Amino acid sequence: MKSKIWLSSPHMGGHEMEFIKDAFNTNWIAPLGPNVSGFENDLKNYLIKKVEVAAVSSGTAALHLALILLQVGPEDEVICQSKTFSASANPIVYQGASPVFVDSERKTWNICPELLETTIQDRIKKGKKPKAIIAVHLYGMPYQTEKIKNIGKQYNIPVIEDSAEALGSAVNKEKCGTFGDLAILSFNGNKIITTSGGGALICNTITQKEKAVFLSTQAKDQDVAYVHSQIGYNYRMSNIIAGIGRGQMLTLDNHVTKRRNNYKYYKEQLNTIPQIEFLNEPEGYFSNRWLTCILLENQADKEAIRILLDSNNIETRPLWKPMHQQPVFKNAPSYINGVSDDLFNRGLCLPSGSNLDKSDLDKVITLIQQYFG
Ligand SMILES: *Cc1c(COP(=O)(O)O)cnc(C)c1O
């Protein structure tokens, strides 16, 4: 059997071990050390805009910390893009708060600005102003950053930018991860760069960063006496893991180029099939094309192609099942326009790793072409 073609698998650049060895040689085998601050600085420099970065154990932990920093608690509602991975929404529940889901728009597949505004107005009318908005750059395609930011400002609701899938993406040359009042990144195994598992909280002030680090290292008021006046978490990134991150930062731009080239090649080869649609970048948008997604004409084609590729040892995945369709969130208020359901029914993510070669992509393309023969 030929080796499997994965959706998105880890891709080391070659320098990761040097940073890990350095951690061993200096015995920084701990959730602090030079690689942690080094990785944070690398990210800061990469994001260009003046931000503060706290490296943590996962993107989910970063989202949880963001909600804590915004003082989201049990009586609160938090608006969340419905079309996303469940990790965007789960931390709302960790805080005892309630998610309110908002559907997507066609232009970016992300949270619909008009529907977001309607939702805020309706929640206020029903007696509660939402405490925060979680917007997601799905598959690396930025949401409408300007519009969402303005809505947040207008209603005085902070925006948490879930940039877990969008490191390397930008709008008008401004990098994703710098648009929210707070933002998060993920370095999970399948993301554009990986540390095996890890994440980062991106803050606008050093005070926020220090608070996040404090909370993620067990909230010790005084290190010596172990005095605690609030609940802490063990969320800090380890110095070993951060070493992988430092190595990955050296190859991030290369990963973005490779993934964008995957998209370009798929599109060139499959665009002539009328039953297949791609998501274009709106003017000024730059997607890292974390995953190349196609929309089929109908659900039956999508499912047939998924099964066909699977039987050829090729991994694909339907687009994220919207949160308003998840059993665990069945009682959450949702503002739905049909877009995310339609994308879920007809959409398929194709193998998109930066470590795929042309022959891998050709295998996928040929099978799809034969299907529509
Ligand atoms: C991966 C992901 C997360 C969670 O990140 P982890 O590092 O896996 O905890 C959150 N949101 C989105 C949209 C993701 O894709």
Side-chain angles (χ1 to χ4, degrees):
M1 191 92 148
K2 286 274 286 195
S3 65
K4 182 153 180 147
I5 299 179
W6 298 98
L7 188 73
S8 178
S9 69
H11 183 197
M12 294 298 108
H15 293 284
E16 292 79 8
M17 279 307 284
E18 296 163 22
F19 292 100
I20 294 176
K21 273 189 192 136
D22 200 50
F24 272 75
N25 291 340
T26 52
N27 206 31
W28 281 105
I29 318 287
L32 78 167
N35 280 338
V36 177
S37 34
F39 185 35
E40 288 174 342
N41 273 329
D42 294 345
L43 286 164
K44 241 173 108 154
N45 293 335
Y46 186 81
L47 294 171
I48 303 165
K49 193 180 155 208
K50 196 186 167 306
V51 288
E52 299 296 333
V53 179
V56 294
S57 53
S58 70
T60 311
L63 272 167
H64 190 194
L65 290 167
L67 293 171
I68 298 170
L69 289 183
L70 297 175
Q71 297 178 319
V72 170
E75 300 302 310
D76 294 324
E77 287 187 347
V78 174
I79 290 180
C80 183
Q81 180 169 321
S82 184
K83 188 143 194 79
T84 187
F85 176 52
S86 64
S88 301
N90 286 340
I92 300 169
V93 182
Y94 301 167
Q95 281 308 95
S98 310
V100 173
F101 294 113
V102 174
D103 215 324
S104 287
E105 50 159 6
R106 294 275 170 201
K107 183 173 166 177
T108 66
W109 295 0
N110 294 310
I111 194 164
C112 170
E114 289 73 32
L115 191 55
L116 171 61
E117 189 158 8
T118 317
T119 302
I120 294 170
Q121 288 167 355
D122 191 57
R123 296 324 288 173
I124 292 173
K125 209 162 74 196
K126 291 197 160 73
K128 204 169 279 179
K129 185 169 116 173
K131 197 73 185 262
I133 298 160
I134 300 174
V136 189
H137 307 299
L138 226 48
Y139 306 116
M141 182 64 79
Y143 63 75
Q144 291 204 52
T145 50
E146 192 65 25
K147 282 196 180 170
I148 302 300
K149 184 184 268 183
N150 287 339
I151 294 170
K153 266 201 195 127
Q154 189 189 336
Y155 292 90
N156 199 19
I157 305 172
V159 176
I160 300 173
E161 178 191 359
D162 182 341
S163 197
E165 302 177 1
L167 181 58
S169 299
V171 179
N172 296 326
K173 304 244 154 67
E174 284 186 58
K175 301 271 191 199
C176 286
T178 65
F179 293 104
D181 292 276
L182 291 162
I184 72 107
L185 299 171
S186 166
F187 314 114
N188 203 347
N190 56 0
K191 298 287 157 65
I192 188 113
I193 62 166
T194 181
T195 60
S196 69
L201 179 69
I202 300 162
C203 307
N204 285 313
T205 69
I206 187 78
T207 317
Q208 284 173 323
K209 178 196 164 161
E210 282 169 355
K211 185 77 196 283
V213 171
F214 168 78
L215 290 168
S216 67
T217 50
Q218 309 285 22
K220 283 174 255 174
D221 291 343
Q222 289 178 25
D223 265 328
V224 180
Y226 283 81
V227 176
H228 304 270
S229 50
Q230 54 187 306
I231 294 296
Y233 301 84
N234 185 3
Y235 279 172
R236 195 67 165 136
M237 181 178 278
S238 110
N239 196 53
I240 302 290
I241 292 298
I244 308 177
R246 296 205 74 184
Q248 288 274 281
M249 285 307 286
L250 299 172
T251 179
L252 169 56
D253 282 335
N254 173 45
H255 285 195
V256 173
T257 305
K258 290 245 172 77
R259 290 198 188 237
R260 284 179 62 83
N261 285 343
N262 289 343
Y263 172 86
K264 204 166 151 242
Y265 190 61
Y266 277 131
K267 190 172 169 184
E268 276 165 13
Q269 300 298 313
L270 295 173
N271 218 13
T272 50
I273 300 173
Q275 295 94 331
I276 297 181
E277 215 182 295
F278 288 82
L279 179 64
N280 296 314
E281 286 164 330
E283 179 78 32
Y285 282 53
F286 182 90
S287 169
N288 68 6
R289 296 294 182 188
W290 173 54
L291 297 184
T292 291
C293 309
I294 55 172
L295 277 189
L296 285 311
E297 197 170 36
N298 58 57
Q299 194 170 355
D301 282 342
K302 180 210 72 176
E303 201 44 24
I305 290 171
R306 190 187 67 74
I307 291 165
L308 172 69
L309 293 174
D310 183 59
S311 67
N312 282 273
N313 217 15
I314 296 168
E315 185 189 22
T316 63
R317 195 200 278 152
L319 305 199
W320 300 123
K321 186 179 178 79
M323 291 305 110
H324 68 266
Q325 280 200 37
Q326 299 289 355
V328 73
F329 293 125
K330 65 177 187 296
N331 296 323
S334 302
Y335 294 76
I336 301 310
N337 58 18
V339 172
S340 65
D341 287 335
D342 179 54
L343 294 173
F344 173 64
N345 290 337
R346 298 193 291 122
L348 196 65
C349 305
L350 301 180
S352 300
S354 44
N355 49 3
L356 297 177
D357 56 33
K358 186 168 173 295
S359 70
D360 296 323
L361 302 184
D362 281 334
K363 255 177 95 174
V364 178
I365 289 161
T366 306
L367 284 163
I368 296 175
Q369 283 169 339
Q370 280 168 359
Y371 175 82
F372 285 108

